[in-house]
Amino acid sequence: MRFVVTCFIEKKEPFSFIIYGSSRHQAERTFNQTLQLANPLNDFIEASDGQKIRIGSILAYRIDDVKPLF
């Protein structure tokens, strides 16, 4: 299943990207573990379009289901 993560960042527009998981709970747990294991000053999340955000700049995030087209 696919989920959209929207990160709210200091003084910038929200940053959104897609993550995958077998359930919303599993996807959220995996993303949360990634944030906890990362160094907030030196580690980044990089989207497939090449845009990067520093882990420490994320103030909050939201995970939503991707709605099917049909």
Side-chain angles (χ1 to χ4, degrees):
M1 297 178 69
R2 297 184 324 165
F3 304 92
V4 175
V5 177
T6 304
C7 295
F8 301 94
I9 311 208
E10 299 172 342
K11 302 177 185 177
K12 292 186 181 178
E13 292 292 319
F15 176 78
S16 296
F17 55 93
I18 293 182
I19 61 172
Y20 297 88
S22 58
S23 68
R24 183 177 180 162
H25 174 74
Q26 189 268 335
E28 188 168 350
R29 187 181 63 184
T30 300
F31 183 68
N32 193 25
Q33 286 176 344
T34 299
L35 293 178
Q36 289 179 356
L37 293 174
N39 180 330
L41 299 176
N42 298 325
D43 288 337
F44 292 83
I45 292 176
E46 184 173 356
S48 59
D49 65 358
Q51 187 177 6
K52 290 183 181 182
I53 57 168
R54 189 173 45 82
I55 297 288
S57 68
I58 299 173
L59 301 175
Y61 67 90
R62 182 179 73 213
I63 298 177
D64 298 306
D65 297 339
V66 171
K67 304 288 187 224
L69 296 174
F70 302 37

